[in-house]
Structure formats: structure tokens, C-alpha cells
Amino acid sequence: MRAMIRRRLATAGDERGSVLVAAVAVAIIGAMLAVLVVANVIAASRASGVDRARSTEVHAAEGLVDDVYLKLETTTPCRYPATGTAQAGSSPSLVTGSATITYYDKTGAKLACASGKVTGAPTTAVVTSTAQGDDGRSRTMQSKIVLTPSVVSGRGSAIFAANSIMTTNAFTVSTTLPNEKADVWVDSGNVDCNSGVKIDGSLIVANGGVRMSGACRVVGDLWSKNAVEISQAQSAGLASVGGSLYATANAAMNSGVTIGKDIMLTGSLTTWGGPSSIQVGGVTRTGLAASQIPVYVPRGLPEVLYRPQDWAGFVTSGDRAAAYQQWVRTNAAANNAESWAASRATTGSTQLQCSVAGASYDLKGPLVGPTVPTLFDTRYCNQTTFQNGVNLQLQADLVIFAKDFYSTGNFSVTSKDGKEHRLWIIVPDPNPNGIAECTGGIGNIKGDSGSLAVSPITIFLYTPCTIDTNNSTNLAGQLYGGTVNLRNALTVNYVPIGIPGVDLPSTAQTTAGYRVDVVYKREIGTP
């Protein structure tokens, strides 16, 4: 047996180390597989990082475009941000970027833009934003948009003064209509608001300044072209301006003044007593560009002419002056006025029935209006006067065109049948040139001593000259004049009735912003 083993061992080859070789081979194969796996992981990680960076840059660039959309709703930026760059994300994915806005008019011409103000009327714009990562890579988004100017629909003015306005001694303009505000528009000239004045709406001073004192209060917004001074705070914590105060100028306020919402100024704000001495319900911003607040421009008093054809549904045929004279005589006769009374005269003067008194020596009773809408022409009178207790009782709408109109001595307008009726007293412009002018011998509308119109009557007073109200005058309707003087316990209850054939300016405001409609938004090659 031993011999057999020796022979076997003698004939066998030397196999020492084969296991080690096999083990090394397996290790090499494992290392190669590990290197391959690591290489794949590194490649995937790098691809993921690049994709993440690209996504961050694209989203940041798109976010800048979206921010510009938002800015365009209230302003006209030339660049966003105005200086420097905006940041998105955080390290190691920090991205910075900015956007430029190029404006074009309706012809496609490029418009100049500087300091947040565009020269011209843009209708389209192209927003180009670029975002760059820490690695130096960048992505660019571009969007074309259509711009429609933002307009807040106006309600019409309760009072419109083309040249100047005076408000004093407990004057009030208000309204009982739901969702309406009684706005006062002053086209040109300064406003000195004092002595218990209350405007239950907004005060717009398109080309002038405002000084408020003596418990003058604006319930809505106050907009002024020039400087605003509020020298006295309201009692009982009431706001001097219930809405926002806007001015393309400076403003100064005394201690205790309250502003209900925002203060927005292109100039500076001075507060007597320090910034904390006034109360502001919203934000206070000064040094703004004019384009950053609502824009109001002078409109001019609309021209109103004597055009009977505009008054559809009214009796306008024949001699409207003779019709007026006959109407007064008929009423005098119905009131059993004396035969010698001026209201019954048919001869002896070119100024027949120009002055009508309700007293016993003249009309001797009420002046009852026609039963159908009627137009009268009293421009032949140097002045149309209703005095000494004249009670105009309406049964239908009535319009009186006059050269000059004066009422006094408790003149009143009431409803004969208890229904709503409208009265227009108009001093028309005799020169049809598109501009309302106090020329050609026309005059004023003045009301003294007592009520003018009693609900449910509404009245519209118009003259290119002066509307002057005094001494406890009350009316519902609208007043449009060259100069408007409002004083001595006057109350105007705003009811919009307008003038047929005339486009009356309202308090519609055009903001500096736009409604944005997107044509496209896409990634482009970085410029």
C-alpha cells in the first residue's frame, strides 16, 4: 500500500498556488465590477446634478417672467429687479438672474423705457429673463405678452369744477344709492376744504393742490396733482381721508391726522410731531415714480350746446321761448293771479315772464310743469329768475335752457304726482367749437335762500361760468360748472342723470399697469 502511494506522489505534478491564483482572479473581477458600478453611480450623479441645475435655472428664469407679469399689473418696469439680480434656491443650487422688458406700440415700433416709465403707449412687450447657476451655466426664458391698460370704471362725478371750487361752512356731498360714491372732480385749480365739509366719495384734483382744515373730511380717496396739506385732525378719531391719499408731490400733516388706507407720494411726507404722530391704515410710500400711482389728467368741462334734437322724447317743436311764456301765463291764470301781474303780461317788454315770483303780487301759487317731457328756451331773458316762494311742481321731466339763472326766496322743485322726475337747468355754450367757454354773454347759475330740489326730484345744473349755492340749499343730482362755489349748509345728494347727447367725464381712473395676456413663453438660447 505504501508503495502505491509513493508511486502516486512521484507521478503527480506540482499544483501548489493554484488556489491563490484563482482567488486573485476572483478579486480582480470583483474590483472591475466595483469600478464599473462606481463609474455608473458617478455618471448618474453628475447627470442628475446637471439636470437639477438646469431645472433650477429654467424654473428661476420662468419665475422671473412670472414676477414681471405681476409687476405689469401696477407698474411699467424696464428691468426686473430694477438693479442687481434676484436669487433663487440656496447653495449648492443657488441661482441668480434678472429680466428685461422691451415695449412696443401698436405699429410694432420699439418704445423707450427709463426709470420705470415708458415713452408712448405700449400694446405688446417681450420679457427676456436669464438665470445663472454657480457653475456658470445659464438658461434663458422669453415671453411675448399683449398689454391692455387697466381701467377702473368710473361712476360719474357728483360735482365737476373745470376751473376752481370753493367748499365751506358745512357743505356735504353724499349719496343714498347702493354701491355708489359721491365723487368731486376739480379739473384745474387748488382746493381749500374747510369748515365742516364732508365728501362721501373721492376728491380728485387733476391739476392743483389741496389744503384741508376745519374738519374737512373725504370719505373715499384723495388724489392731488400738487402738494397736500392736512393742518387739522378730525375729532372722535375720524379719518381725514377714509381711503388712500395719492399725490404727485409732497404732503404735510399735523399730529393726530388719520388716513384710512395708504399714503402714496412721488415727493416726501412731513408730519408735524414725527412719523408716529399720524395714523395710517395701510402702507406709506414716498419718492415713487408718477407711473406707480393712479393717473388722472384734466378732462375739461364738456361743451353743452342748445340742440333740441338731442332730447328724444321731449316736446321740442315750435318756438320754445313762446311755449315757455305761455306755460307761465297759463299757470298764473290757473292760480287766479291778478290781471296786472307780470306773470300774465303779454306786451310791454322783451323780458316777458323772465322773472317769476310765487308771491300774491305775481304768480300767486305753484308753477305746475307739463304732463309730458318738455324743453323750454329762456335764453331771450337776460336772467331767468324764480323767486319769493316759487314752487315748481313737476309731472314729467323738464329742461330749461337759460342765458343766466337765479333762484332765491325758498324756490323749490317738488313732484306733483309723487313720482320721480328730472329737471335740467342748462346755460349752454353759444360757441360750438368743442370747448366749454364762459363767453358770448352767457352767465351763471346761482341758488340762494332755501331748498332747490326735494326728493324724488333730481336736478342737473350746468354752466361754463359759475355755479354758486348759498344758504341751506339742498338738491339731489349733479353739478357741472366752470367754477363751483359750495357753501353755507349746502347738501348735494348724488344721483347720476347725465345730459342727453353729451359725454360727461367721470372719475374713471387709468392706472399705470396693464392686464397681461400671454402669447407665448418658451426657453431660448442664452443671448
Side-chain angles (χ1 to χ4, degrees), residues 339-408:
S339 59
W340 44 262
S343 60
R344 299 190 65 170
T346 58
T347 60
S349 173
T350 60
Q351 298 287 296
L352 295 175
Q353 284 75 49
C354 289
S355 179
V356 179
S360 58
Y361 64 82
D362 190 25
L363 187 62
K364 203 177 180 178
L367 190 59
V368 179
T371 58
V372 294
T374 300
L375 180 151
F376 287 135
D377 181 10
T378 69
R379 292 176 300 157
Y380 69 92
C381 300
N382 293 330
Q383 183 181 74
T384 302
T385 302
F386 289 165
Q387 59 184 328
N388 291 347
V390 169
N391 175 210
L392 175 57
Q393 298 180 354
L394 295 184
Q395 302 180 93
D397 292 348
L398 180 67
V399 55
I400 298 175
F401 281 93
K403 187 177 182 180
D404 185 286
F405 185 88
Y406 178 58
S407 63
T408 188

Side-chain angles (χ1 to χ4, degrees), residues 238-317:
L238 293 174
S240 295
V241 178
S244 295
L245 187 156
Y246 304 96
T248 56
N250 301 326
M253 301 177 194
N254 209 340
S255 300
V257 168
T258 297
I259 306 297
K261 294 183 180 179
D262 302 331
I263 297 177
M264 309 288 278
L265 307 172
T266 62
S268 61
L269 174 62
T270 300
T271 55
W272 306 318
S276 62
S277 67
I278 65 171
Q279 302 295 320
V280 182
V283 299
T284 298
R285 298 182 64 190
T286 60
L288 298 173
S291 60
Q292 292 179 283
I293 64 176
V295 177
Y296 290 99
V297 295
R299 309 283 183 82
L301 182 70
E303 184 182 55
V304 179
L305 305 174
Y306 179 72
R307 284 196 303 245
Q309 62 270 25
D310 290 341
W311 297 82
F314 283 68
V315 176
T316 59
S317 59

